[in-house]
Amino acid sequence: TASADKTVKLWSVDGQLLHSLQGHKDWVTDVRFSPDGKTIATASADKTVKLWSVDGQLLHSLQGHKYWVTDVKFSPDGKTIATASLDKTVKLWSVDGQLLNTLSGHKDWVYEVRFSPDGKTIATASRDNTVKLWSVDGQLLNTLSGHKSWVNDVRFSPDRKTIATASADKTVKLWSVDGQLLNTLSGYKSEVTEVRFSPDGKTIASASLDNTVKLWSVDGQLLNTLSGHKSWVNDVRFSP
């Protein structure tokens, strides 16, 4: 769990506190486990990402961003770490803390970074209303333009053939990996905060500040609206 109290806490599934990771000097904005479960990455408003062992030892501090780090992800093979920042860049690092590349091109804050399932493509979502696709060696492959406000989230489908983007313009857009707009999912009354594919890739779930979650088929048909929350829905997940 990541907190504005500047710490990350590790808990057992029965609720016992195992470790408190202390070292960040500002809010912790994101936390991730590596694919092998042996390393934890934490992103912070203090402009750093820290890598920890699961027993709470600080391994590395990744320094280079000039503003808040909003998101951190491990590549599927666990060998690369991607960090997104309000400094308009994404940085790629080795797991021993070496800076490998800086992805520059967005004109505003970068909210989200995502590896494709095969680890060969990186998607970045930005307040500049676009999503950019990059190769892992830092080459810009495509820019997905079409949203009328900032993009909060981006996801690859499990088969890597479709990309879903969630935006403050009250829509979710579906794209092919070569950048063609396939569909626009409309009907929200407010900003869309998060979008997810089901594990089989057949259903899309989206969370919104209109207090609902919507379920869609991948061809854009609205399947259901989950109502009951009394305020913003910030995140949504499918069970495995």
Side-chain angles (χ1 to χ4, degrees):
T1 57
S3 174
D5 70 4
K6 308 177 188 177
T7 72
V8 166
K9 294 186 183 297
L10 304 182
W11 313 78
S12 64
V13 288
D14 61 1
Q16 298 300 305
L17 179 62
L18 302 175
H19 299 286
S20 185
L21 311 185
Q22 300 185 21
H24 283 296
K25 298 178 181 177
D26 208 332
W27 294 3
V28 185
T29 54
D30 199 18
V31 59
R32 301 281 165 178
F33 285 93
S34 60
D36 65 7
K38 295 181 179 179
T39 307
I40 296 162
T42 57
S44 173
D46 69 7
K47 308 176 189 176
T48 72
V49 167
K50 293 183 183 296
L51 303 181
W52 314 77
S53 64
V54 288
D55 62 359
Q57 298 299 305
L58 179 63
L59 303 174
H60 300 285
S61 187
L62 312 186
Q63 301 184 23
H65 281 296
K66 297 177 181 177
Y67 204 18
W68 286 26
V69 185
T70 52
D71 192 26
V72 58
K73 296 289 193 310
F74 286 90
S75 60
D77 65 7
K79 295 180 179 179
T80 307
I81 296 162
T83 57
S85 172
L86 301 190
D87 68 8
K88 308 178 187 178
T89 73
V90 166
K91 291 182 183 292
L92 303 180
W93 314 78
S94 64
V95 289
D96 61 359
Q98 298 301 305
L99 179 62
L100 303 174
N101 220 323
T102 298
L103 311 185
S104 301
H106 281 295
K107 297 177 181 178
D108 211 329
W109 300 348
V110 185
Y111 290 135
E112 193 82 24
V113 59
R114 196 80 55 186
F115 286 92
S116 60
D118 63 7
K120 295 181 179 179
T121 307
I122 296 166
T124 56
S126 173
R127 197 176 183 220
D128 68 8
N129 306 357
T130 73
V131 166
K132 291 183 182 292
L133 303 180
W134 315 77
S135 64
V136 288
D137 62 0
Q139 298 300 305
L140 179 62
L141 303 175
N142 221 321
T143 297
L144 310 185
S145 301
H147 281 296
K148 296 178 181 177
S149 189
W150 58 79
V151 185
N152 289 314
D153 196 21
V154 57
R155 300 277 168 180
F156 290 90
S157 61
D159 64 7
R160 197 189 160 272
K161 293 181 179 178
T162 307
I163 296 166
T165 56
S167 172
D169 68 6
K170 306 178 186 177
T171 72
V172 168
K173 291 183 182 292
L174 303 180
W175 314 77
S176 65
V177 288
D178 61 0
Q180 299 300 305
L181 179 62
L182 303 175
N183 218 325
T184 297
L185 312 185
S186 303
Y188 308 91
K189 297 176 181 177
S190 190
E191 185 171 331
V192 188
T193 52
E194 195 89 11
V195 61
R196 300 269 176 178
F197 286 92
S198 60
D200 65 7
K202 295 180 179 179
T203 308
I204 295 165
S206 52
S208 173
L209 299 190
D210 69 6
N211 308 355
T212 71
V213 167
K214 291 184 183 294
L215 301 179
W216 309 81
S217 65
V218 288
D219 61 1
Q221 298 300 305
L222 180 62
L223 303 175
N224 219 326
T225 297
L226 311 185
S227 301
H229 284 295
K230 296 178 181 178
S231 190
W232 300 353
V233 187
N234 296 309
D235 202 359
V236 59
R237 293 283 199 285
F238 286 91
S239 65

